[in-house]
Amino acid sequence: MLPQALKDASKLKLSDNEERNVATISVERTGDEYARLTCAGEWRNSTVPPVLGVVQAFCTAPRAARVEIDLDGIEGIDTTGAWLLRRMMNEGSRQGAAISLLGGSDTMRELINALPDKMPGPNERERVRHSLFERIFAPVGKVILELVSDLTDALHILGSAVRGAQLKL
């Protein structure tokens, strides 16, 4: 989760004497034909709040026909930064723009491209709303079945030990 109480992330510090290089995006547009997004800084969970507004604006604004996202200025990235870049790519593609990534390391591009097109939601089984009776007693039933299975295994072990002792007599 991104920090919500953070008003100005430009002064984030790793320690008392080391400042973080926050994420930035500069947007260059030439009409409706071409847009270039130049990304810089560290695209990590704690340093991306300054670009969230630009990302949201990019995702909701009218799209250029061709969009290039320049990754050369990115110094470090984690999954939060990769998700934001992937979100911009998906929204642009969904609205008909040709999106291309420029620069960046192979690892960075691999991380961005490895993410799915949309956030996975809860699976179908979790969406089914069960009755109150089922929600209360299903966990109890599972525990009882596990106890019965454990007791059966313990009795098998005990029976083997007794049988082994009888054979020695």
Side-chain angles (χ1 to χ4, degrees):
M1 177 182 264
L2 296 174
Q4 297 297 319
L6 192 60
K7 300 292 184 212
D8 180 16
S10 63
K11 294 186 174 50
L12 287 173
K13 294 185 176 187
L14 292 169
S15 63
D16 290 337
N17 58 359
E18 186 177 5
E19 290 191 16
R20 290 187 180 188
N21 192 3
V22 296
T24 60
I25 300 178
S26 62
V27 181
E28 301 171 30
R29 282 189 178 265
T30 54
D32 293 337
E33 296 290 319
Y34 173 77
R36 182 182 181 104
L37 300 162
T38 305
C39 305
E42 289 191 29
W43 282 63
R44 301 188 190 281
N45 189 33
S46 59
T47 58
V48 293
V51 299
L52 294 178
V54 176
V55 170
Q56 184 63 33
F58 176 82
C59 291
T60 58
R63 193 74 50 231
R66 195 179 77 195
V67 178
E68 293 178 345
I69 301 175
D70 186 2
L71 307 174
D72 277 334
I74 296 179
E75 298 167 9
I77 192 168
D78 65 3
T79 51
T80 302
W83 269 112
L84 287 174
L85 292 168
R86 185 67 180 178
R87 179 178 172 210
M88 288 191 299
M89 290 173 60
N90 291 338
E91 284 297 316
S93 296
R94 189 178 62 79
Q95 294 182 9
I99 306 287
S100 60
L101 292 176
L102 303 175
S105 67
D106 290 337
T107 308
M108 185 185 311
R109 295 162 77 72
E110 183 179 350
L111 174 62
I112 294 166
N113 290 324
L115 296 172
D117 288 339
K118 67 177 195 170
M119 289 283 288
N123 63 25
E124 290 297 321
R125 193 172 163 193
E126 291 175 3
R127 287 187 203 165
V128 176
R129 181 84 172 155
H130 297 288
S131 69
L132 179 62
F133 182 83
E134 275 185 283
R135 289 182 292 181
I136 291 173
F137 290 107
V140 174
K142 288 179 184 176
V143 168
I144 289 174
L145 285 175
E146 289 175 4
L147 288 173
V148 167
S149 176
D150 290 346
L151 180 63
T152 304
D153 292 342
L155 290 175
H156 282 284
I157 293 170
L158 181 63
S160 296
V162 169
R163 178 71 178 144
Q166 286 177 344
L167 290 176
K168 289 188 178 186
L169 292 176

